[in-house]
């Protein structure tokens, strides 16, 4: 099947890793197939803005076909990859068997509920546009249901929003929920006071933003406090029911629960048959290839690779981007060294991962936003907090957003909402029910924590 003159590269996943690999191979004399289960690329760092009604989905996503339209060597297929035949060098979807000479697997990661998948319906996580819309629906619906109940004469007690996990996603969700309830919604309801909404951020570890330096964690916690978020660290969630979160014997009433605690690599990693770490990330060679298969690369959130100090590379966009470009470079160099020889399966088998360069991550720094004019930034020994860090965050996120149109739209939206406090995408779509609302009567329940 692969005995053809034009080498064929198949890329699974058009997230940050896959898309950058495809773009870096644009002018190579090869045939590229990009397969993704979605027809669009999602800029995940801004998902929380969709979840909190600041941006619309179309402003943080772009059709893959349109991003790659000028790459004449690239075809885009929408499809779910279910299996690999590594012996025959074939990628399997329910509709097709697609041969490859090189394979790049960049299928990303999803949520982990630490063995409690039954919590998911009560505590959605944030990974996709669909997740963001579901979170937006629940958050906005909670205010509407509370208003309706209070308007009908029942006592209006504050809503309780509980965010589980104080990594970057949990922190930005909690901070933005506080901002919405205290500003954007503050004057729009007549029977409830949205500003009294209680936002609780629960973290199992001893500090928020555990991947950041101590001083930045402390600063983030202070900034959250100023925004009106209650933070409880060293609080491990042991049970989630409709309308309540438990840590041991302590019960936290919760109108809306959001899950930002665990990450699990795409199940596609398992289909590659290689060793994986506890999160299911594939343990790759230093050149990002699959052990024993130099023609297969695994990159981005799906790959586990230690840096030069033995610390695992983080699951962040710059790692995936740099890895995508790196494997593209390896492939280009090997094809160039094969020269004008007809590329065949036999010539590929000559290669091995030992003769290749190793991947090195260039860490340019980390940024985490907390809310309006609140963020932390770590550039080596330089640590910044507050407004300046937030400006840096804003600049980087607009710069890396895909498509000029999206950059312009997001910039305008942010400038507008900074001045007016408005959040323009406040649409409730889908179901009008909220888990726990009828069974647990959260609006009539005090926000006091109960010790059982
Ligand atoms: C809410 C949130 C906020 C984040 N914030 C930041 C941030 O501020 N800064 C930062 O650097 N990083 C951030 N990240 C992490 C960053 O987005 C990821 O590290 C990055 O997206 C990983 O890129 P990737 O290419 O490995 O995977 P993804 O970008 O996740 O892409 C995977 C692609 O594979 C496709 N796919 C999956 N399975 C299949 C299948 N079986 N068949 C076909 N296609 C499939 C998916 O549809 C998707 O398009 C955030 C992540 C989330 C979820």
């Amino acid at each position: 099947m692969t005995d053809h003159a034009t080498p064929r590269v198949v890329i699974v996943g058009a997230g940050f890793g896959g898309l950058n690999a495809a773009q870096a191979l644009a002018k190579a004399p090869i045939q590229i197939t990009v397969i993704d289960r979605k027809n669009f690329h999602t800029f995940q760092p801004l998902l929380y803005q969709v979840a909190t009604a600041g941006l619309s989905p179309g402003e943080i996503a772009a059709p893959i076909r349109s991003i790659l339209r000028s790459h004449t060597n690239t075809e885009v297929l929408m499809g779910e990859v279910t299996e690999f035949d590594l012996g025959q060098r074939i990628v399997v979807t329910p509709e097709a068997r697609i041969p490859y000479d090189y394979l790049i697997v960049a299928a990303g990661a999803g949520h982990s509920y630490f063995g409690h998948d039954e919590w998911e319906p009560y505590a959605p996580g944030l990974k996709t546009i669909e997740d963001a819309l579901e979170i937006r629906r629940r958050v906005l619906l909670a205010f509407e249901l509370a208003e309706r109940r209070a308007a009908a004469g029942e006592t209006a007690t504050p809503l309780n929003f509980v965010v589980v996990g104080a990594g970057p996603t949990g922190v930005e969700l909690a901070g933005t929920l506080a901002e919405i309830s205290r500003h954007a919604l503050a004057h729009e309801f007549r029977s409830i006071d949205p500003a009294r909404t209680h936002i609780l951020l629960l973290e199992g570890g001893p500090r928020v933003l555990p991947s950041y330096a101590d001083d930045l964690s402390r600063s983030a916690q202070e900034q959250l406090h100023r925004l009106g978020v209650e933070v409880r660290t060293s609080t491990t969630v042991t049970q989630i029911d409709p309308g309540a979160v438990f840590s041991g014997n302590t019960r936290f009433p919760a109108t809306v629960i959001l899950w930002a605690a665990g990450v699990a690599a795409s199940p596609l990693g398992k289909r590659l048959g290689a060793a994986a770490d506890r999160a299911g990330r594939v343990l790759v060679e230093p050149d990002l290839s699959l052990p024993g298969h130099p023609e297969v690369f695994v990159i981005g959130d799906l790959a586990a690779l230690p840096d030069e100090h033995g610390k695992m590379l983080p699951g962040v966009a710059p790692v995936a981007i740099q890895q995508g470009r790196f494997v593209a470079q390896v492939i280009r160099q090997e094809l160039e060294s094969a020269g004008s020889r007809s590329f065949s399966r036999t010539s590929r088998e000559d290669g091995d991962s030992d003769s290749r360069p190793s991947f090195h991550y260039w860490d340019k720094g980390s940024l985490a936003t907390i809310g309006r004019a609140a963020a932390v930034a770590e550039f080596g020994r330089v640590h910044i907090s507050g407004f300046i860090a937030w400006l840096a965050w804003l600049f980087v996120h607009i710069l890396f957003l895909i498509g000029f149109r999206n950059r312009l739209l997001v910039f305008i939206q942010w400038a507008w909402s900074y001045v007016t406090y408005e959040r323009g995408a406040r649409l409730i779509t889908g179901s009008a029910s909220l888990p726990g609302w009828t069974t647990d009567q959260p609006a009539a329940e005090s926000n006091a924590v109960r010790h059982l």
Side-chain angles (χ1 to χ4, degrees):
M1 280 282 259
T2 51
D3 267 348
H4 50 83
T6 311
R8 193 159 177 170
V9 179
V10 173
I11 301 175
V12 178
F16 285 104
L19 209 50
N20 275 275
Q23 285 172 322
L25 286 168
K27 294 200 174 73
I30 53 176
Q31 189 185 340
I32 304 171
T33 302
V34 176
I35 313 173
D36 200 295
R37 56 156 72 119
K38 306 277 184 198
N39 78 327
F40 57 86
H41 164 84
T42 304
F43 191 79
Q44 291 174 4
L46 291 183
L47 274 174
Y48 85 98
Q49 282 283 344
V50 174
T52 54
L55 294 173
S56 293
E59 289 159 354
I60 68 152
I64 300 163
R65 198 171 287 295
S66 146
I67 300 168
L68 299 174
R69 69 174 174 264
S70 59
H71 301 193
T72 48
N73 65 351
T74 306
E75 68 171 350
V76 177
L77 296 179
M78 183 177 154
E80 175 92 26
V81 172
T82 50
E83 196 56 82
F84 303 101
D85 183 339
L86 296 180
Q88 295 296 311
R89 300 187 181 183
I90 284 175
V91 172
V92 181
T93 72
E95 301 80 22
R97 292 172 62 79
I98 301 152
Y100 63 83
D101 295 298
Y102 285 101
L103 171 64
I104 301 172
V105 187
H111 315 296
S112 164
Y113 286 82
F114 307 122
H116 288 281
D117 288 351
E118 72 277 11
W119 294 349
E120 188 168 9
Y122 313 131
L126 182 58
K127 194 71 199 171
T128 63
I129 293 275
E130 289 83 352
D131 295 337
L133 293 177
E134 175 58 14
I135 291 174
R136 183 179 82 178
R137 185 188 76 80
R138 292 187 190 204
V139 168
L140 298 177
L141 186 62
F143 290 102
E144 296 298 337
L145 294 180
E147 173 81 351
R148 191 165 76 192
R149 190 174 275 174
E154 293 183 38
T155 322
T157 54
L159 294 168
N160 298 300
F161 290 172
V162 178
V163 180
V164 183
T169 300
V171 164
E172 64 197 9
L173 275 173
T176 313
L177 287 175
E179 190 187 312
I180 296 178
S181 54
R182 273 123 189 95
H183 299 291
L185 303 180
H187 307 293
E188 297 194 2
F189 291 81
R190 299 293 170 258
S191 303
I192 60 164
D193 179 5
R196 291 180 61 212
T197 303
H198 180 235
I199 319 282
L200 177 62
L201 178 60
L202 299 178
E203 166 59 40
R207 60 194 180 98
V208 305
L209 296 181
S211 59
Y212 285 72
D214 275 348
D215 58 321
L216 291 178
S217 281
R218 275 195 302 279
S219 165
Q221 188 155 342
E222 280 158 22
Q223 293 182 67
L224 282 164
H225 179 71
R226 277 201 295 277
L227 285 166
V229 176
E230 183 191 349
V231 178
R232 289 200 183 210
T233 50
S234 305
T235 306
T236 305
V237 169
T238 52
Q239 177 64 33
I240 295 182
D241 287 344
V245 175
F246 295 81
S247 176
N249 289 333
T250 310
R251 178 184 187 276
F252 302 99
T255 325
V256 174
I257 309 163
L258 304 180
W259 184 260
V263 174
S266 157
L268 266 193
K270 273 208 183 99
R271 315 311 303 170
L272 291 166
D277 70 2
R278 282 199 320 169
R281 299 186 303 167
V282 178
L283 299 167
V284 292
E285 300 284 3
D287 66 342
L288 302 171
S289 67
L290 191 69
H293 286 277
E295 74 286 3
V296 179
F297 297 94
V298 184
I299 60 171
D301 282 5
L302 185 54
L305 181 72
D307 65 12
E308 43 276 25
H309 310 292
K311 201 173 155 212
M312 283 296 169
L313 292 175
V316 292
V319 170
I321 292 170
Q322 291 178 31
Q323 291 184 338
R325 290 175 184 163
F326 173 85
V327 296
Q329 179 69 8
V330 169
I331 292 172
R332 286 182 86 115
Q333 272 168 0
E334 286 187 357
L335 293 177
E336 273 163 27
S337 68
S340 53
R341 276 185 293 141
S342 167
F343 187 86
S344 70
R345 186 177 177 136
T346 320
S347 65
R348 220 2 332 280
E349 277 166 356
D350 295 338
D352 76 83
S353 64
D354 291 342
S355 57
R356 290 176 180 162
S358 300
F359 172 75
H360 290 289
Y361 173 50
W362 181 26
D363 186 355
K364 297 176 198 161
S366 312
L367 292 151
T369 183
I370 298 159
R372 185 188 168 81
V376 291
E378 188 170 345
F379 304 110
R381 291 197 187 142
V382 180
H383 296 176
I384 313 170
S385 297
F387 184 65
I388 301 290
W390 182 72
L391 278 185
W393 180 91
L394 216 65
F395 175 74
V396 166
H397 284 75
I398 288 180
L399 195 70
F400 279 94
L401 202 56
I402 291 201
F404 176 74
R405 175 187 164 277
N406 281 352
R407 272 181 227 135
L408 188 68
L409 286 177
V410 169
F411 179 73
I412 293 170
Q413 289 278 10
W414 276 346
W416 180 254
S417 73
Y418 190 79
V419 177
T420 62
Y421 285 93
E422 269 180 29
R423 299 189 81 80
R426 280 171 29 207
L427 313 181
I428 300 174
T429 51
S431 154
S433 71
L434 202 55
W437 183 260
T438 46
T439 55
D440 212 26
Q441 305 282 308
E445 184 177 28
S446 110
N447 65 4
V449 171
R450 280 217 317 263
H451 300 282
L452 304 176

